[in-house]
Amino acid sequence: MEQTIYSRNLSQLCKLIQESCCLPVFYAQNKQPSIDAAAAAGIPLSPLFPDLEGLAQSLLTPEAEYPSIRTTNFWEQFIIIPVKHEAESKAFIIVGPSIEKLPPEEHRAKQLNDYRIPYRDKPNWTAYWESLPTVNRMRLLHTCVLTNLLVNQETLEITDVLEYSFKYAQPQAFKRDVERNISARRESLIFHQSMMEERKFFNFIRVGDPAGLIIKLAEFSYEEAGVLSKRSHIRSLKNLAICGIALGMRAAIEGGLYEEQAYMLSDLYIQQIEELHDIQTVKAAMEGALLDFAERVKHSRNPILSRPVKACREYIYTHLYEEITVDKLAAVSGLNSGYLMHLFKKETGQTIACYVQKERIEEAKKLLQMTGDTISSIGSRLGFYDQAHFIKVFKKHAGMTPKHYRATL
């Protein structure tokens, strides 16, 4: 009798949570889901699990004692609430699945490929992802806190939920291995390069000194850089290269490189490294990336600028192919238009209009060199209202016409 009342209460709680949060909810005892037919019909089922029982078995571990959020390899989010109630079998309330946001088509295709999902199953996965309710991380955390309060009459902070979730994601055995390895390396006197040496290394990028960086790279010992993969030397080297490029990117930004440019370069170099398959080419790619950062900083050395002017320069860089007005820049900088124009001219020596023109001509030079696009199409893409205007402005800043410039390349 007591068990029947207990189950009925859980069913009522599930219904209340479902109606309040507009999310799928069910409960499981010993991994056996229990839910009424009407509610079950509204729960999206992954193509991996044809029924709720299989889904529950994949999510639940008997030792779980705390509310947590689980995210699967296929972007599904679940809230897991252990029910703290005297009963013969342990019960869990499961809220989900939901998804933080629908990934782009390209990411979905890569994910299915990574997990060797047959292409014929792609429509099923697409339909499934599109059926999931969208819930951002903070709303999910608050829902978890609320659900736990309703189920267990226990007040938690969202930081408690995050901590419990991290504990679940980080197995205790791994933590013990970490401590053992630290002790063993200390005993064997196996140490990494000091932070001071690392700062010196990346400072060559920060100050735009590729010549100094070349010497430092020649002195660099890959053997002392640490092991970043237990099973594969080339994977370890790729991981080292990825870390190095990320640090180099930040040094380049500190040195004055546009943030967006630095991030895009980092993405492209890391993508390149992932495609390589031998040690020497990975080393060459990493060193080439770091030298490229240093070279770009060297050629884009800027005077110390105020935060509003820096924000305007970054906006101009990322929106160069769009219409750029003083009003938009004023909104970005947080200053009124008149004062911004005065400050920009004072710090850069150029008016905003002249600066934007010069940036567009520099971009036009790259397009003339790297593409076969017509001069008129390049001018149109960069916002010049006709070809004559483009040619006139190009000649003003480059000293020659676009046609002549392309002929000299």
Side-chain angles (χ1 to χ4, degrees):
M1 181 66 179
E2 181 183 349
Q3 185 66 27
T4 304
I5 295 171
Y6 173 58
S7 297
R8 185 184 304 135
N9 288 340
L10 284 183
S11 293
Q12 290 171 345
L13 279 171
C14 286
K15 186 176 181 182
L16 178 62
I17 295 162
Q18 185 177 46
E19 291 176 349
S20 301
C21 301
C22 299
L23 292 171
V25 184
F26 63 99
Y27 76 90
Q29 291 175 282
N30 291 332
K31 300 186 181 180
Q32 300 293 322
S34 180
I35 190 165
D36 63 76
I43 296 179
L45 282 174
S46 160
L48 289 180
F49 302 105
D51 52 45
L52 284 177
E53 184 176 349
L55 175 63
Q57 289 175 350
S58 73
L59 292 171
L60 302 179
T61 53
E63 64 273 13
E65 298 178 2
Y66 305 107
S68 61
I69 291 174
R70 313 272 172 87
T71 303
T72 73
N73 293 328
F74 294 93
W75 302 297
E76 303 143 298
Q77 302 175 130
F78 294 91
I79 295 171
I80 312 293
I81 306 287
V83 179
K84 299 177 180 179
H85 191 286
E86 291 185 10
E88 294 178 4
S89 57
K90 191 163 187 178
F92 297 86
I93 283 187
I94 301 169
V95 183
S98 64
I99 194 167
E100 188 165 8
K101 63 178 180 179
L102 187 64
E105 171 65 27
E106 180 185 1
H107 291 184
R108 285 180 265 164
K110 288 179 180 177
Q111 194 78 348
L112 295 179
N113 181 61
D114 287 344
Y115 287 92
R116 298 181 180 178
I117 305 295
Y119 185 80
R120 65 178 178 272
D121 291 343
K122 181 182 175 183
N124 294 335
W125 279 99
T126 299
Y128 170 64
W129 283 319
E130 291 176 350
S131 74
L132 298 181
T134 303
V135 184
N136 67 41
R137 187 71 167 170
M138 287 305 297
R139 182 186 159 202
L140 203 68
L141 287 165
H142 285 295
T143 302
C144 184
V145 169
L146 174 62
T147 304
N148 187 66
L149 181 60
L150 287 171
V151 173
N152 296 315
Q153 292 77 53
E154 177 185 42
T155 303
L156 295 176
E157 300 293 332
I158 61 172
T159 50
D160 297 324
V161 178
L162 286 168
E163 184 179 353
Y164 299 152
S165 300
F166 292 151
K167 284 180 179 177
Y168 171 79
Q170 193 74 280
Q172 197 63 35
F174 175 75
K175 293 181 181 179
R176 290 194 295 270
D177 287 344
V178 167
E179 296 304 325
R180 282 198 295 267
N181 273 282
I182 290 174
S183 297
R185 291 176 72 88
R186 290 174 67 190
E187 185 177 4
S188 304
L189 301 178
I190 301 172
F191 303 120
H192 290 78
Q193 192 178 51
S194 72
M195 185 174 286
M196 184 63 70
E197 286 301 309
E198 182 183 288
R199 285 174 180 164
K200 288 179 183 177
F201 186 97
F202 288 102
N203 194 53
F204 288 108
I205 296 176
R206 194 173 292 108
V207 300
D209 182 4
L213 181 61
I214 288 175
I215 294 172
K216 203 68 180 173
L217 284 168
E219 297 171 351
F220 179 73
S221 171
Y222 286 89
E223 286 69 30
E224 295 177 9
V227 177
L228 302 183
S229 173
K230 291 181 178 180
R231 299 182 181 180
S232 166
H233 181 49
I234 192 165
R235 181 69 261 169
S236 182
L237 189 60
K238 284 185 177 185
N239 291 343
L240 174 66
I242 290 167
C243 293
I245 289 170
L247 291 171
M249 173 197 71
R250 283 159 175 75
I253 291 171
E254 291 170 7
L257 203 61
Y258 292 113
E259 283 188 24
E260 185 57 30
Q261 184 181 31
Y263 279 116
M264 286 191 290
L265 287 168
S266 173
D267 290 349
L268 293 169
Y269 279 124
I270 289 172
Q271 289 169 20
Q272 178 200 19
I273 281 167
E274 282 296 330
E275 297 300 317
L276 301 177
H277 302 289
D278 67 83
I279 290 170
Q280 295 308 316
T281 54
V282 172
K283 288 181 180 178
M286 181 187 73
E287 293 171 2
L290 297 178
L291 286 168
D292 186 34
F293 280 131
E295 284 284 355
R296 288 174 186 269
V297 171
K298 177 182 177 181
H299 294 295
S300 68
R301 296 296 294 166
N302 297 302
I304 297 174
L305 301 173
S306 63
R307 184 173 295 178
V309 174
K310 279 184 179 178
C312 288
R313 289 179 69 251
E314 193 70 34
Y315 182 89
I316 291 167
Y317 179 82
T318 54
H319 295 79
L320 198 62
Y321 287 82
E322 304 170 24
E323 181 185 9
I324 298 173
T325 66
V326 174
D327 287 343
K328 285 181 181 177
L329 295 176
V332 167
S333 67
L335 303 176
N336 67 59
S337 301
Y339 182 64
L340 174 62
M341 289 190 289
H342 167 76
L343 185 65
F344 196 96
K345 176 74 181 291
K346 178 183 176 183
E347 293 190 9
T348 67
Q350 304 172 70
T351 65
I352 291 175
C354 183
Y355 181 86
V356 172
Q357 272 194 355
K358 286 184 70 173
E359 288 294 298
R360 284 181 168 150
I361 296 308
E362 289 303 312
E363 186 72 4
K365 288 179 181 178
K366 293 178 186 176
L367 295 175
L368 288 166
Q369 181 179 357
M370 302 295 181
T371 74
D373 295 351
T374 65
I375 290 170
S376 61
S377 70
I378 290 173
S380 176
R381 287 168 60 191
L382 287 168
F384 294 94
Y385 52 79
D386 61 30
Q387 186 171 342
H389 180 225
F390 174 49
I391 292 171
K392 180 181 177 181
V393 175
F394 192 98
K395 189 172 182 180
K396 172 186 172 183
H397 292 287
M400 63 184 77
T401 66
K403 183 178 180 181
H404 186 195
Y405 179 83
R406 179 172 262 173
T408 62
L409 296 175

